[in-house]
Amino acid sequence: MSSSSVLEEIRRAEEFLVVGKGVRRIDALDKVTGRARFTGDFVLKDALHVRLVKSPIPHGRIIEIDAERALSLGPVRFFTAADIPGENQVGYALPDQPLLPADKVRYVGEPVALVAAPDEDLAEKAAELVEVRYEELPAVFDPLEAMERSDVLVHEDRGTNIAEMTRVRKGNVERGFEESDVVVENTYRTGHQEHAPLETEGAVAIPDTQGGVTVIASIQYPHLCQRITARVLGLPHSMVRVVQPYVGGGFGGKDDMGPVVSAMAALVAFKTGKPAVLVYSRRDSFTSTCKRDPSVVRYKTGATRDGRLKAIEVQIILDSGAYANRGPYVLWRATMHAGGPYEVPNAKVDGFLVYTNKVFEGSFRGFGNPQVQFAAESQLDELAERLGMDPLEIRLKNLLRPGSRTITDQLLESSVGIYEAVKLLGEKTGFRAKWREYRRERAGRVRRGIGIACGYHGISTSRGVPDWSNATVILGRDGSVTVETGICEIGQGSWTAHAQIAAEVLGVPVERVKVVGGTSDAPDTGATHASRGSSIGGIGVYVAARRLRERLADAAARLLECDPSDVEIREGRAFRRDNPDDYVEWEELVQAAYGMGYEMSATGYFFLPKGKFDMERGLGYAYPAFSYIANVAEVEVDLETGKVRVVRVWPALAAGRILNPVLVEGQIEGAIAQGMGYALTEELKFEDGRILNPNFTDYLIPTSLDVPEVEEPIYVEDLYEYGPFGAKGVGEMALIPTPAAIMNAVKNATGVRITEIPATPEKVYFALRRAGVVAGE
Amino acid sequence: MLPEFEYHRPASLEEAVRLLSELGPDAKVIAGGTDLVVKMRAGLVSPRHVVDLSRLTEIRFIRDEGDRLKIGAGTTLWEIENSREVARGVPVLREAVEEMASWHVKTTATIGGNLCNASPAADAAPPLMVHDATLVVVGPEGRREVPIGEFFTGPGQTVLGVGEILAEVVVPKMRRGQGAAFEKLTVREGALSIASAAALVEISGGRFVDARVALGAVAPTPIRALKVERALKGRPATREILRSASREAKADIKPITDVRGSREYREEMSVVLVRRALERAVERAGGAWA
Amino acid sequence: MRAGGGGIVVRFTLNGREVEVTTRPNATLLDLLRNELKILSVRRGCETGECGMCTVLVDGLPVRSCLMLAPQVDGRSVTTVEGVGDPERLHPVQEAFVEAGAVQCGFCTPAMVLTAKALLDRDPNPDERTVKEAILGVLCRCTGYAKIVRAVRLAAERVAGGVRE
Ligand SMILES: Cc1cc2nc3c(=O)[nH]c(=O)nc-3n(C[C@H](O)[C@H](O)[C@H](O)COP(=O)(O)OP(=O)(O)OC[C@H]3O[C@@H](n4cnc5c(N)ncnc54)[C@H](O)[C@@H]3O)c2cc1C
Ligand code: FES
Ligand code: FES
């Protein structure tokens, strides 16, 4: 089926039976009854429990690892780099990351060895008794310093601490600034963010009888786990089977950590012939898993008197920590989104990914974009201020529309709903009136403010990086429907959306559809990240279901003695369009189709068409489409303590078709809470590379009493031609503009621009002091 | 993983004291365990014996004795939060308890545990200090009474000797003309204090007849702010005097920088919290600003 | 009562049934439930008392099972979500969670359901603030709590409104 005909059909469809409805999650029953099983629940008899031996220093050579005392405790096994049968390499973008380091450690918390024992306490005690001797090396923690230094290198063989550089050169920025009437320049800083899924990372590996292993793990991409685990064990991919049980939250972290943890557990299982369980403690999850990259963004914006953006010049520095991991991709995404969802004729962006001796960074909801949108959207308000405009006005002047070009000079022909979304949002919230009123009032010790920020997020992988969708749909003899996909269910509800798509296309109730996902047994559907689970992931389901639907229509036509084009299949019945009373039941139809020789399983595959991208100038086709979001936030600022409370948030989303409004609302509400935590309370504190608060006692994620009221979202359904029913991605969206929306509201309330997040009470208080808004006590 | 220990569950307070003196310094008492278990898991304490007080009904009560309230050390924070006697007699304690931890923690956490754990940030301490509470301690030598101001000796340190148990807290109730309030500053709801303050004032004839102020998390132990108190007592109850007296808090405290906040921030916030607590206390005392 | 390294017998009521188990004295209630009794809906999220994933009801009130020693539960009554309802007979709270879309990854769900049940057993008609205060001790990283709060209030309406006995 050609893609244009898919689009045609979607456009024609006026009304859906299942799609677009708040269909109940297919996994809800398992979850409310406590029957849902997570990785740590699969502790098999005879299993070995695995514990990490971690580096206590930020940088040093490993001189000797002595496990004698640990081994003397009892039946303890012990593994180092030397035990790895295959390739000791788990680096994602660059081959810089060993599973277990052989020569040196690069951050506090880096696992240097594994200990396994039949009982947990023994494993833990043994891990504590392993003695590692190091020759300490000088360490570097600040990315700005690390960029300049070549005497302290996190990776000597690279000759520099700069892991990756990116750039965009569009138009002529010098001229752009010359033509500008106002120019605003600021430096923005963002901190680490820990994913803090309530279920920590974990994997259970079980040796099989053919010399391979089966891994049950908390993951976001089974085929990547399979590849990395096979590489570490020196096995063909086919010898490693990966299955996800239920996953207790991912947010990107388990995309990166899933393969690492799986490979560790698999190593133990492979070497011992016994099942091995490795579940990270909360502390491990803080000290030894990737985080959101901290950033320093220097941002210069120019505009004419009437508020039109003329030029931006941006420098993005991402602190990658000890390894590059996804960093180069994160940096590319940050770079290409640096302009915000606006028309900017001249753009110069330079990105740097820098190694330091801290825990490594990685994928996290938003993937580099929240960092730059925080800067871009703060800048826009500062610009508006200088121009005497209000924040809504300046945005409406510059927002992307169909026919606009992005900062990579990509032409956006369609599916650009942000302008309409912002307009509606402005009206719904009464933004202008409130913004003026709060600005005028500014009295008392608790001040109110309102702020707006937008965001956009490219769907699919960046640039020309290949992306595809793939799924299998199988009809059982009894008419039951099985969807097989590599997409993982990590809480976002993709499997429910998949079931809805299959049900809608086939014409059966959702309850008939079972989704088998998150396994390497299914086709490689790519990762469950980049908001692609339901959107890109769903295309394969759509295509496969279409194939079956055509065959069924054919079979039904033979039974009903009519033309296939006259057959309608709905709600589990096939009938003649002109005579609904002349029908066959679904089960009957499927059985008959089997008897007539129709193949009752089909694969659906779709390779996303992508354009050219010029890496030298950073111009060209960046993404097949973008999802768009705008948030308005209302806050209260306690001037005397610096405490910011977010009272209410109004989201507006332009992400194509809304497949399931209940799921989408859930994603928005969750993302706003996570974005608020990122903006206000979640702060990892370091001392010489060591995390001082590796726990929920002092790393503070939002509670029920902290979260704002989230108003019903505005949806602008700007359909995307290759999305299933026109859907684009949703999962990451609402987090992206949240920090800027909050800080813009703080500015409205206090007149003070906060350029660094998390804006903890202490930081806000001293910023207000410096600005003279409050005096010292 | 918790350290290995022997578990003991004495049937009476007397048996508990006897057991503790026999076992010596290797024994630790457990009540709700919400501090002790966390510390044991972190390897900060590794007792060989754990003596469970959580079933001793003898130390689990709230009794109204006219002008004072007696609260058994084994009373849970949840019971205190829901006690009408506490709400009426020592409302500032209730206010503090409301802001502590979460329901799930408070159902087992005890007031005795909060005090004996002796965290500088123990939120129950400042309210009890402004009420001039007395702690009743039982031990091998019998019973003794310790004013709360003398109970804490350092972070995690109290005057309790081997074999001694905190049995009850005796709190003089609020009197007519008095008002009290508690203020707690955290980065997030339900988190531990960056700083906290309790104030109790008595106003008569437009003057501060009495003023008591205590702070948490800004010194090695919860402390009374005596300089603030001196700057108030006998002076007219005006906002200006209250403001300038609050500033004395900086001289009363000895804050440190830690993950929850810097020394500088704690200094500033001590003043803010003291002022806010005092203002609300004055309003509750009848609201008669001079 | 006294018990050392070898083991200690603990008798208590688990979801309405008497159980007797031998456990290490230094095991927590969480260890006992998960490792010995295989009650896997009680989850390990932090073991420092902060996250609430290990929530169970003891004599009807929510507690942190990761901070309670196993022997401390002797003679008491413990409820886990298995004792609240099953797929055939869901408790109104569970029904409301399904309907309101209050479930995402599901890791926190048993703790939320138990907390909501304990709340509604004491206060059949809580306002929004009361619900939020009750679940303060259970973190959820997925939902932003909005639909969880709505679900608890929906359950309250149903129960109070006589939709269910
Ligand atoms: C998630 C969480 C949040 C928290 N939030 C707060 C908060 O907001 N504010 C706050 O102040 N605290 C907080 N705490 C700390 C703790 O909950 C309280 O201090 C609680 O009151 C301790 O009581 P417990 O009965 O659990 O003490 P336990 O842990 O049982 O005991 C604590 C210490 O006191 C000793 N002890 C206990 N009872 C006696 C007694 N009768 N005689 C002699 N010694 C005794 C024990 O040996 C131990 O050393 C929090 C804890 C957690 C886990
Ligand atoms: S596991 Fe008990 S509170 Fe987190
Ligand atoms: S649903 Fe995932 S933690 Fe609550």
Side-chain angles (χ1 to χ4, degrees), chain B residues 103, chain C residues 116-127 129-131 134 152 156 160:
Chain B
W103 187 21
Chain C
K117 179 188 182 301
L119 171 68
L120 297 183
D121 286 348
R122 309 173 47 84
D123 178 356
N125 194 13
D127 60 19
R129 175 81 196 175
T130 309
V131 174
V152 179

Side-chain angles (χ1 to χ4, degrees), chain A residues 213-273:
Chain A
V213 291
T214 297
V215 179
I216 301 170
S218 198
I219 55 172
Q220 291 183 222
Y221 187 4
H223 299 83
L224 178 65
C225 284
Q226 179 186 46
R227 282 204 302 276
I228 302 252
T229 302
R231 186 201 286 166
V232 167
L233 298 184
L235 292 175
H237 295 179
S238 59
M239 299 285 276
V240 176
R241 241 189 107 206
V242 179
V243 188
Q244 76 150 108
Y246 282 114
V247 172
F251 317 110
K254 288 177 182 171
D255 195 10
D256 304 17
M257 295 311 300
V260 173
V261 180
S262 295
M264 287 180 178
L267 174 66
V268 174
F270 190 72
K271 299 290 278 194
T272 60

Side-chain angles (χ1 to χ4, degrees), chain A residues 91-363:
Chain A
Y92 185 83
L94 301 172
D96 65 356
Q97 186 174 357
L99 183 72
L100 298 168
D103 52 349
K104 70 171 196 170
V105 291
R106 298 179 173 88
Y107 70 93
V108 176
E110 178 161 14
V112 279
L114 303 173
V115 164
D119 96 78
E120 286 184 76
D121 288 0
L122 182 58
E124 205 163 313
K125 270 185 224 156
E128 278 164 21
L129 290 182
V130 173
E131 286 162 47
V132 186
R133 270 207 309 128
Y134 299 96
E135 175 200 334
E136 279 205 53
L137 297 170
V140 59
F141 305 116
D142 174 24
L144 301 182
E145 185 192 332
M147 278 175 88
E148 307 298 332
R149 286 183 78 158
S150 53
D151 56 330
V152 180
L153 290 174
V154 181
H155 295 269
E156 285 91 352
D157 52 337
R158 301 188 61 87
T160 165
N161 287 318
I162 298 175
E164 173 80 327
M165 291 195 283
T166 57
R167 47 157 49 186
V168 166
R169 297 284 183 274
K170 181 191 180 190
N172 179 337
V173 284
E174 283 76 29
R175 211 173 46 229
F177 285 119
E178 269 164 32
E179 288 167 10
S180 298
D181 297 308
V182 285
V183 175
V184 169
E185 194 170 354
N186 283 300
T187 300
Y188 299 88
R189 288 188 163 76
T190 64
H192 287 83
Q193 188 179 22
E194 158 59 27
H195 304 77
L198 268 311
E199 180 213 23
T200 57
E201 295 71 12
V204 175
I206 307 153
D208 68 27
T209 49
Q210 287 131 38
V213 291
T214 297
V215 179
I216 301 170
S218 198
I219 55 172
Q220 291 183 222
Y221 187 4
H223 299 83
L224 178 65
C225 284
Q226 179 186 46
R227 282 204 302 276
I228 302 252
T229 302
R231 186 201 286 166
V232 167
L233 298 184
L235 292 175
H237 295 179
S238 59
M239 299 285 276
V240 176
R241 241 189 107 206
V242 179
V243 188
Q244 76 150 108
Y246 282 114
V247 172
F251 317 110
K254 288 177 182 171
D255 195 10
D256 304 17
M257 295 311 300
V260 173
V261 180
S262 295
M264 287 180 178
L267 174 66
V268 174
F270 190 72
K271 299 290 278 194
T272 60
K274 291 197 170 156
V277 186
L278 171 57
V279 176
Y280 275 24
S281 67
R282 180 57 60 187
R283 197 187 173 81
D284 293 338
S285 189
F286 271 99
T287 60
S288 313
T289 71
C290 64
K291 314 277 177 267
R292 188 191 298 287
D293 306 57
S295 74
V296 179
V297 179
R298 299 188 177 115
Y299 209 121
K300 183 173 163 189
T301 316
T304 52
R305 203 164 291 117
D306 64 350
R308 291 224 173 265
L309 292 174
K310 287 308 276 185
I312 58 167
E313 186 171 350
V314 188
Q315 190 193 44
I316 303 165
I317 296 159
L318 295 183
D319 177 352
S320 191
Y323 296 103
N325 187 24
R326 310 275 171 135
Y329 298 98
V330 175
L331 183 66
W332 265 113
R333 190 170 272 274
T335 303
M336 292 185 298
H337 285 80
Y342 305 102
E343 283 191 350
V344 186
N346 305 292
K348 176 172 180 233
V349 188
D350 288 287
F352 301 89
L353 179 74
V354 185
Y355 289 124
T356 58
N357 290 111
K358 297 200 298 278
V359 63
F360 64 105
E361 319 305 340
S363 312

Side-chain angles (χ1 to χ4, degrees), chain A residues 641 643 700 706 761, chain B residues 99 123 184-195 260 265 273:
Chain A
T641 61
K643 210 166 158 163
L700 299 168
D706 299 284
Chain B
E99 290 199 36
D123 287 320
K184 168 170 172 171
L185 179 66
T186 58
V187 169
R188 190 206 66 191
E189 295 284 339
L192 297 176
S193 299
I194 301 167
R260 263 158 240 153
Y265 186 55
L273 297 183

